[in-house]
Amino acid sequence: MDLWFNEWNTESCKLSIKVKEPIYSEKTPFQKIDFFDSYDFGKFFTLDGMMMVNEKDEFIYHDMIVHVPMAVNPNIKNVLVIGGGDGGTVRELTRYNDIEQIHMVEIDERVVRLCQKYLPITSSKLEDKRVTLYFKDGVEFVKSKENFYDLILVDSTDPIGPGEGLFTMSFYKDCYRALNGKGILINQHESPYFEEYRIEMLKAHGKLKKIFDVCEVYQFHMPTYSSGHWLFGFASKGLHPIEDHNAEKWESFDLKTKYYNSQIHQGAFMLPTYVRELLESV
Ligand code: SAM
């Protein structure tokens, strides 16, 4: 009998992926983790029934969360990743020789250990000597930090369950304090298309706008996330993602990237009219 993974985007629209075989399933104190193998997306895992990472399109998300801020400030040395248990974000960061420290704070150690077992494509660099793993709540971790990080990447689940606190005003304020004078915060910004996600996008943007001097949003095309149209927030104490875009320096690193390039960088901040109007409304 055919086996399908279904993720409901709304009550009447779903993403459906034909599964070759279920690989592993576990309920942790934080969430339910499932690994599958599939025909079109290779191996993938879900948290509480939501697609997280698959072998085929993960490069898009991880290119866009990391290389956009790195091309704005190529001198970044200290990075904090909150969430990101699959390791894909850390993998892209470790490609920069000048980065000195990567702190990754993941609430659920089982996500990391299972990705190390079943998803080496993303988890392969978690043992890089510049990486320190903390198995803690990112909301608590960031409270004790001040004027330290050049970059904070919030690679989180949606604002339900353990990820809820990562979309709050107090968390964003703590991130602001934890960043140094040129610090950049990139955060999961949900999707503009379906209402349920759009509401979360607007709430996040409205809060960040009240705290950060620079507060922009950029888009990317993610086939397996709701509607395929997904956003990150770019918030900073001083650097602007377009005015301070240092394409020349970034290109001199000669990194081979499959999705990100200097033209995508510029284009990603040019939003469709309805998205721009929505963001201006908060
Ligand atoms: N790329 C993915 C996406 O947007 O669907 C997210 C990747 S990653 C798997 C998300 C991780 O955030 C999960 O492993 C989850 O355990 C972690 N997480 C959720 N809430 C957290 C919190 N409060 N502190 C630290 N990590 C958290």
Side-chain angles (χ1 to χ4, degrees):
M1 207 179 66
D2 286 351
L3 185 61
W4 292 79
F5 161 75
N6 293 311
E7 177 180 328
W8 296 88
N9 297 157
T10 70
E11 281 177 9
S12 50
C13 174
K14 69 177 179 182
L15 167 76
S16 217
I17 297 174
K18 190 169 174 185
V19 166
K20 260 190 210 170
E21 56 168 349
I23 298 175
Y24 184 79
S25 182
E26 179 176 323
K27 179 113 182 51
T28 77
F30 303 99
Q31 52 214 344
K32 183 164 183 286
I33 311 178
D34 290 285
F35 282 79
F36 301 94
D37 195 5
S38 70
Y39 295 91
D40 291 319
F41 293 98
K43 293 201 181 69
F44 70 94
F45 85 102
T46 63
L47 292 179
D48 291 335
M50 310 286 282
M51 169 64 79
M52 289 292 124
V53 171
N54 67 71
E55 290 180 313
K56 286 291 158 62
D57 70 11
E58 61 81 17
F59 70 96
I60 302 173
Y61 182 98
H62 296 125
D63 268 18
M64 290 304 274
I65 195 170
V66 170
H67 302 307
V68 169
M70 290 305 299
V72 174
N73 180 7
N75 298 314
I76 280 169
K77 304 270 183 265
N78 294 310
V79 185
L80 172 63
V81 178
I82 297 182
D86 54 86
T89 295
V90 164
R91 180 196 66 204
E92 289 308 305
L93 288 167
T94 59
R95 302 178 71 195
Y96 293 89
N97 294 332
D98 289 346
I99 290 183
E100 291 171 359
Q101 280 195 86
I102 304 167
H103 293 163
M104 188 180 105
V105 185
E106 162 62 60
I107 203 165
D108 194 345
E109 181 172 0
R110 292 302 292 153
V111 175
V112 173
R113 300 303 170 215
L114 292 169
C115 286
Q116 285 176 319
K117 186 165 181 189
Y118 298 117
L119 219 51
I121 191 173
T122 53
S123 60
S124 58
K125 297 291 180 189
L126 286 172
E127 279 158 24
D128 185 289
K129 61 179 185 324
R130 293 168 292 169
V131 178
T132 311
L133 300 180
Y134 299 89
F135 297 113
K136 291 186 171 153
D137 186 341
V139 174
E140 293 306 316
F141 183 90
V142 85
K143 277 186 182 152
S144 59
K145 302 287 177 280
E146 194 167 341
N147 195 27
F148 180 69
Y149 293 107
D150 302 298
L151 175 63
I152 300 178
L153 301 174
V154 186
D155 183 0
S156 70
T157 41
D158 295 330
I160 34 167
E164 203 173 340
L166 303 176
F167 289 78
T168 59
M169 190 75 148
S170 58
F171 171 70
Y172 294 145
K173 280 186 181 158
D174 289 336
C175 288
Y176 185 90
R177 204 194 44 249
L179 288 166
N180 62 27
K182 287 197 164 183
I184 299 171
L185 169 73
I186 305 293
N187 76 314
Q188 227 269 66
H189 233 66
E190 302 290 293
S191 169
Y193 194 74
F194 290 120
E195 194 177 354
E196 196 185 318
Y197 293 87
R198 185 191 307 150
I199 290 169
E200 299 304 336
M201 161 193 106
L202 291 175
K203 283 202 268 189
H205 189 66
K207 289 171 194 165
L208 286 161
K209 248 168 126 170
K210 291 198 174 79
I211 303 168
F212 283 86
D213 311 305
V214 175
C215 189
E216 303 289 333
V217 170
Y218 62 101
Q219 61 183 350
F220 55 103
H221 166 245
M222 196 65 192
T224 54
Y225 288 177
S226 171
S227 85
H229 186 193
W230 211 256
L231 306 172
F232 280 128
F234 180 110
S236 161
K237 290 190 171 181
L239 292 172
H240 190 276
I242 300 296
E243 288 159 22
D244 296 302
H245 177 205
N246 194 343
E248 204 180 324
K249 175 81 176 167
W250 188 83
E251 283 168 14
S252 76
F253 295 144
D254 202 23
L255 300 177
K256 299 280 172 278
T257 45
K258 210 163 144 191
Y259 189 86
Y260 179 83
N261 57 49
S262 299
Q263 290 72 39
I264 283 277
H265 183 114
Q266 298 276 324
F269 288 89
M270 292 171 196
L271 300 172
T273 307
Y274 86 96
V275 181
R276 213 188 312 149
E277 286 175 357
L278 281 165
L279 293 168
E280 282 165 6
S281 72
V282 291

